[in-house]
Structure formats: structure tokens, C-alpha cells
Amino acid sequence: MVCTNTRSRNKWVLNTTDTPLFFLLAQLVIAVILFLLAHMVGLLQLPLALDMQVCKGLIPMVGLNVIGLSFSNYTLKYVDASFYQVARGMVLPFTVGTSFFLLHARPSLRILLACGVVTIGFFVGVFLDGTEVSVIGVGFGVVSSMITALHSVVIKKSLDVVHGSALHLSWYTNLLSAVVLAPALILVGELPGIMTLLFGPNENAPGQMSTLSTFVMGSIITGAFGFLMSLASLMSIKVTSPITHMVSSAVRGVAASLLGVWLFKDIVTQGRASSIGIILLGSIWYTWVKHVESQAPSPTKAHYEPVPLDELEEGKGGGHDSAHASHRHSQSTRGTHD
């Protein structure tokens, strides 16, 4: 529910500002401040002296994190909160494909069929809904899904750089992402929008919270939730597979869609509801298949049956081991006679 609430708050802020990357930077800065406060009071132990070798090793991780979060915010800006789950519906198929190519995790036929169901759900929501959707928003959603798939796999490898510490990885990722994102704001042309947000007139209707107040309040809330999500997400991938983590994200996305209907009065057509249902069905089927496959015994090259201790003490071995013991005993006897 933390993820669902954060996404709704993001949409609330993005409806009032044209600076999605500045909003993301504010979230990252607040998360870094919370890390430092937790370190100061002794809740966490952070490596405040940054290791440059670790920073170099985390370049792919940080790059994908910045790009992925940026595209995710752009997706949420251009599409309804209820359609966000559909726009990013290809996360599971992309993650399965990425795991196959990068981690050499060969999917079974049933896994591929589950991914096929999710893909059908995506196309139903985009092409068969009959409701006009933002092509730009869908494009951002597809690219964001691809980057999220890569990011979930890179996290597994990045944990080795920080010696398996999810806490240190989360600290480095948030801090370095903020450093990288700051100059990117100027490159993408958000500086005028930032100046208008900070020093311009209030664009909201009288009686409503001002644009700047909405931005500040939303940044604080989502930054705090982002701090918690960052830790929870990395811990989830550390103890599970990248794909299982993505499925949990997909299920939370459905909850976010329902929350978007309630908060923002989004219209959910029959086609959109069918799309979300099909994506959720494929994700649940995948989860069931993975559970069944994990319960199957792995094939072994040879079967080893341990000899009970009491038989071993009595000199009983049985089968092949007894023959070897008798053979060694006869050889020892002949050597003694010789």
C-alpha cells in the first residue's frame, strides 16, 4: 500500500506542475536527508565516506534508476492514474526476457504462456479499449517497463559491489541518483518551469492549496514513502527473484488503478477494466507456475543413501561400499603376508 499511496500522491503533484524531473529530484533529496537522520540517531549505519570504486561499480545501477524513475514520472504525467498499470503492463514479459538473456534463466513453456496473457492484456488496454489515450504516455510506459526489467536484474549484480548490503546499495543509489539528476534538469529544459514554480503566481483556483504548497507537501510525503520503498524493494529482490519482485509490483499497480478512480475520478471503461484484469490474471498464473516449479525436485546425477551410524559401527556397509571395503581388507591382508 505504500507504493500505491506514493503513486497517487505523485499524480496529485504532477497534475499541478510541468517539472516532473525536479519533482523526482526533490523526492531523492528528501530520501537522502532521511537516510542521514536515521544514521545520526543510530537507526542505520551508512558509509558516509564514499568509496569511489563502489561508485564506479554502481554506474549502471544509478543510470537505470534515474532513467527508469524519470520515464515512470513522465508516464504518470501523460496518462490517468487508472491507466498507469496498463501503460506499464509489459514489465513482466520484459523482465522474463531480460533474465533469460542476462542471467541465463530459461523460462518454461507455462511461464511463456503467462507472459503471453499479460501481453494480450496490454494490447487490449491500448488498442481495443476505444478510449483515446496518450501515445506519448504509452511510449513512456513501454520504455519505462523495459528499463524496470533491466533495473531489477542489475540490482542482483549490484549487490555484489556493496558486499550484499541492501541498505548500502539503497543509500548509494539515492545519493548518486540525486547528483546525476541535478544537472539533467537544465539539459531537458526544466529550469524555466522551476523558476515559475518557485517564484511565479499561484495557478490553482482560489480556496485550493497553492501550486508551490502542493509541490512541497507532495515531495515530502512521496520522498518519505520513497525512502521506505527503496529499502523494501531492494530487500525484496535480495531474498527473491527479480521476476517475483516485478509480479508484486504489478499487483500493487492494480490497487493503484482502483485508488486513482477514487481520488481523481478517472473513468475506467469496460476495455480498460478487462485489460487490467487480464494483466493481473497473467501475473497470478505466473506466480502459481513459479510456485509449482519451485516445489519440483531437482534432478541429481547420483543417489546417495547414507549408512546408519549403528551399522557403520558394526562394520555393515551394504552394496557397493561393502565390496570396496572387502577388497581393501583383502589387499591389506595380502600385503601383511608378503
Side-chain angles (χ1 to χ4, degrees):
M1 290 306 296
V2 171
C3 176
T4 302
N5 190 37
T6 302
R7 192 170 299 151
S8 299
R9 294 289 184 178
N10 282 353
K11 183 62 177 177
W12 174 51
V13 175
L14 291 172
N15 281 342
T16 63
T17 180
D18 293 325
T19 57
L21 294 188
F22 182 58
F23 177 47
L24 176 58
L25 176 62
Q27 293 174 309
L28 292 172
V29 170
I30 291 172
V32 169
I33 293 174
L34 290 176
F35 268 111
L36 292 174
L37 291 176
H39 177 81
M40 291 174 59
V41 299
L43 294 178
L44 303 175
Q45 293 298 322
L46 301 175
L48 297 183
L50 299 182
D51 187 336
M52 294 309 298
Q53 289 299 117
V54 172
C55 294
K56 291 180 181 179
L58 294 179
I59 289 177
M61 168 79 174
V62 173
L64 288 174
N65 186 61
V66 170
I67 298 174
L69 290 176
S70 300
F71 275 73
S72 179
N73 268 13
Y74 276 116
T75 303
L76 197 56
K77 179 173 179 60
Y78 285 101
V79 302
D80 296 338
S82 62
F83 189 74
Y84 179 84
Q85 166 66 14
V86 178
R88 299 187 75 249
M90 293 298 291
V91 171
L92 176 60
F94 285 152
T95 308
V96 171
T98 303
S99 297
F100 172 70
F101 287 109
L102 297 184
L103 300 181
H104 308 291
R106 181 182 295 273
S108 64
L109 177 60
R110 290 185 295 181
I111 291 294
L112 295 178
L113 291 176
C115 291
V117 172
V118 172
T119 304
I120 291 174
F122 170 78
F123 282 106
V124 167
V126 173
F127 297 107
L128 302 181
D129 181 25
T131 305
E132 184 178 357
V133 295
S134 171
V135 177
I136 297 177
V138 174
F140 278 129
V142 172
V143 177
S144 175
S145 300
M146 296 175 62
I147 296 173
T148 301
L150 284 171
H151 186 248
S152 64
V153 174
V154 170
I155 287 178
K156 279 282 190 180
K157 296 185 177 182
S158 298
L159 280 168
D160 296 334
V161 180
V162 292
H163 309 292
S165 174
L167 172 62
H168 290 181
L169 181 58
S170 182
W171 159 248
Y172 271 104
T173 302
N174 281 276
L175 177 62
L176 296 179
S177 295
V179 172
V180 172
L181 190 60
L185 300 178
I186 301 176
L187 296 178
V188 299
E190 283 197 5
L191 190 57
I194 295 173
M195 300 303 293
T196 301
L197 174 66
L198 297 178
F199 306 107
N202 177 29
E203 298 179 358
N204 286 349
Q208 294 183 352
M209 185 180 296
S210 67
T211 305
L212 182 58
S213 298
T214 301
F215 181 89
V216 173
M217 182 67 67
S219 298
I220 293 174
I221 295 175
T222 56
F225 282 138
F227 166 72
L228 298 175
M229 285 173 53
S230 178
L231 294 176
S233 177
L234 291 173
M235 288 299 297
S236 171
I237 291 187
K238 182 179 180 181
V239 299
T240 64
S241 70
I243 307 176
T244 303
H245 170 75
M246 288 301 105
V247 170
S248 66
S249 299
V251 174
R252 291 195 304 267
V254 175
S257 298
L258 298 177
L259 194 60
V261 174
W262 178 52
L263 291 177
F264 305 111
K265 310 302 181 184
D266 291 346
I267 299 176
V268 178
T269 62
Q270 183 177 358
R272 185 173 298 185
S274 300
S275 173
I276 295 174
I278 294 172
I279 292 175
L280 181 60
L281 178 63
S283 301
I284 294 175
W285 185 22
Y286 163 82
T287 305
W288 177 80
V289 171
K290 288 294 291 184
H291 172 72
V292 172
E293 292 180 352
S294 66
Q295 299 299 315
S298 56
T300 56
K301 294 183 179 179
H303 178 70
Y304 171 71
E305 183 177 354
V307 180
L309 181 60
D310 55 349
E311 294 186 8
L312 191 62
E313 291 176 347
E314 295 175 4
K316 300 177 182 179
H320 189 65
D321 291 337
S322 297
H324 272 295
S326 300
H327 179 66
R328 288 196 300 268
H329 176 71
S330 61
Q331 284 184 329
S332 176
T333 302
R334 286 198 304 269
T336 302
H337 288 307
D338 292 341

